[in-house]
Amino acid sequence: MIIGAGMCGLYQLYKLLRNGADVTVLERGDDVGGTWYWNRYPGCRFDSESYTYGYSFSKELLAEWDWTEHFSPQPENLRYVNHVVDKFELRTHIQFGCNLTRAVWDDEHHIWTLELADGRTLTCRFLLTAIGLLSAPTMPRLTGMDSFRGPSFHTYHWPKAPVDLTGKRVAVIGTGATGVQLIGAIADKVGQLTVFQRRPNWCAPLHNAPISAAEMASIRADYAEIFRKCDNTPGGFIHGPDRRRVAEVPREERLAFWERLYATPGFAIWLGNFRDVLMDEAANAEFSAFVADKIRGRVKDPVLAEKLIPKDHGFGVQRVPMETRYYEAYNRPNVHLVSIGETPIERITPTGIRTSERDYEFDLIVYATGFDAVTGAFDGIDFVGTDGQRLRDNWRDGPLTYLGLQVVGFPNLFMLAGPQSASLSTNFPRGIETVVDWASGLFEHAVERGIRRIEPTAEAQAEWTAHVEELYQGLLLRKAKSWFTGYNSNVEGHDKIRYMIYNGGAPRYRQRLAEVAQQGYAGFRLG
């Protein structure tokens, strides 16, 4: 059984069906799509180039699908996922409306028993999670949230029905990647927009543009090279680091280089920069100053501009939101910024929001307050392994895994996009294709040899977890308060560093997986 019908779960379903497996997908929503099903807020789109995000496994699929924008919007992304599902006849193998609440391992019979919210009980030999790294939305812990008389919701639960924003007084709480997309998209559509910001993020222009028919034909002819380039970069994008250090390049030349990066679409400015910008304090400080000046040049009010420039971390140390007209939104007379570090929110009222300074009245409140990332979706399910141990208890201080795929004490539970795997720190479909292909090979190996129980050794898990922790030490992100380090002040117990992602890069991760398989799946007990 596969949990989740997003990009990861659907590809795993496709692979297992081709291998003749008896498999079904359990999806809590009423349709496929995962991220692109749930997130419907205005401005939601790829920040990976569209043609690097789509599946690469089918030449026929690549030949027939046209992307209309370099960074495709949510409605088109959802159409793409549905096209894939229909093309490969996957829908009949998916059960919708299945909210998994508990999964218990039976060590005698080597099966998982799954309990659903609707009262059903199901069993399976292998349980594969594809539940998404950003699928457990978190609301802020504010008094009076239920008292507001108007509509209010998290961006993850944006209504399916159109929301008329014309002339409305709208509050957006949060300026992470989601809030940045939303604010830029609605600033010119609402009556008044008030943004409540806790800490600013470093944002960079997305530079989206349409894809013409001729350009799409050129992309299609170049797919082999595009995916080869993605395979060879640490992040699985077309953007790879410049191997020079900042100090090796004359100042005039590096400023010109940074100007080109700032004008380049997508994550080039983050992932295509000098190699030490994300590793060395001085290099990072110089580049952060460059971006700060860009923000000052785009925001007319100098006092407001300073409030939008982060002071607690450098550029790229946290996840960089890619924006379209975000900073320009604050030049509009109908857009207002409230720094809740200066005037904290005291409560939500029936008519709006009260800060320490004043009361605000709103017609709509939007919570763009992010996610209990990576482990949150796992914590929401009661996974019970051998000897009654619970996964959420084992992970209380941070995840413990082998290869980001399995956990000691939870046999036959495979995390296809779990913590400490490379898919979380790479262009997601590129990462999950790697993991799914490898896991499918392991399942074939198990079937051929009559293996009914797969679990990592304690030694292998300890070695991998230590390796993941060590990789953090050379990067500035180790100091960040972000989901890269498992930090979330809206979740009790998550106000500390937890080692969530693999920072060794996609090529190195693929090499490790290949070596493990070549060595007879070293580190796993196959019983």
Side-chain angles (χ1 to χ4, degrees), residues 264-302:
T264 300
F267 279 137
I269 194 168
W270 187 22
L271 304 177
N273 216 318
F274 296 118
R275 60 177 297 192
D276 58 339
V277 163
L278 301 180
M279 302 170 68
D280 179 76
E281 295 277 7
N284 184 269
E286 184 176 346
F287 182 66
S288 298
F290 169 84
V291 179
D293 282 342
K294 289 295 184 183
I295 296 171
R296 294 183 184 107
R298 293 173 62 184
V299 180
K300 294 177 181 178
D301 181 340

Side-chain angles (χ1 to χ4, degrees), residues 410-458:
F410 295 83
N412 292 8
L413 174 65
F414 286 86
M415 303 173 297
L416 301 175
Q420 302 182 343
S421 72
S423 58
L424 303 189
S425 52
T426 61
N427 188 2
F428 190 64
R430 305 283 65 78
I432 62 100
E433 284 189 343
T434 293
V435 171
V436 167
D437 288 346
W438 188 90
S440 298
L442 174 56
F443 298 141
E444 286 188 68
H445 178 85
V447 170
E448 290 169 358
R449 288 160 178 77
I451 293 166
R452 296 161 63 85
R453 189 183 196 276
I454 304 174
E455 181 184 4
T457 66

Side-chain angles (χ1 to χ4, degrees), residues 129 131 373-381 383 389-402 404-408 410 413-415 417-420 424 461 465 486 492-494 496-500:
T129 66
I131 50 183
V374 186
T375 57
F378 290 92
D379 290 344
I381 300 169
F383 290 101
Q389 60 184 302
R390 284 176 158 75
L391 186 62
R392 65 168 69 105
D393 293 337
N394 289 9
W395 285 0
R396 192 173 303 280
D397 295 322
L400 306 168
T401 78
Y402 179 44
L405 286 168
Q406 270 208 299
V407 181
V408 172
F410 295 83
L413 174 65
F414 286 86
M415 303 173 297
Q420 302 182 343
L424 303 189
Q461 177 171 282
T465 301
E492 187 175 351
H494 287 187
K496 58 189 176 186
I497 299 297
R498 295 179 299 141
Y499 299 101
M500 308 293 276

Side-chain angles (χ1 to χ4, degrees), residues 462-472 502 504 508 512:
E463 180 274 329
W464 181 256
T465 301
H467 174 57
V468 168
E469 181 175 345
E470 181 185 3
L471 288 170
Y472 270 79
Y502 176 79
R508 187 174 176 182
R512 178 64 181 268

Side-chain angles (χ1 to χ4, degrees), residues 178-241:
T178 296
V180 165
Q181 285 186 328
L182 175 66
I183 291 161
I186 68 173
D188 62 348
K189 299 175 178 61
V190 302
Q192 298 290 323
L193 175 61
T194 305
V195 178
F196 292 83
Q197 173 184 269
R198 180 175 55 178
R199 295 190 304 268
N201 278 288
W202 294 101
C203 307
L206 181 65
H207 296 304
N208 187 31
I211 297 177
S212 67
E215 190 175 10
M216 190 64 230
S218 176
I219 290 169
R220 186 172 287 114
D222 203 33
Y223 264 132
E225 176 59 20
I226 289 170
F227 290 127
R228 186 200 65 79
K229 185 179 293 186
C230 291
D231 282 345
N232 289 325
T233 61
F237 293 88
I238 57 174
H239 314 290

Side-chain angles (χ1 to χ4, degrees), residues 147-153 158 163-172 189-194 196 348-353 360-367:
S147 70
F148 182 62
R149 291 197 287 261
S152 63
F153 40 78
W158 193 278
V163 178
D164 184 9
L165 300 174
T166 307
K168 298 292 177 62
R169 299 167 300 175
V170 178
V172 174
K189 299 175 178 61
V190 302
Q192 298 290 323
L193 175 61
T194 305
F196 292 83
I348 307 298
T349 69
T351 57
I353 296 174
Y360 296 83
E361 293 188 355
F362 297 110
D363 302 307
L364 171 68
I365 298 176
V366 181
Y367 297 100

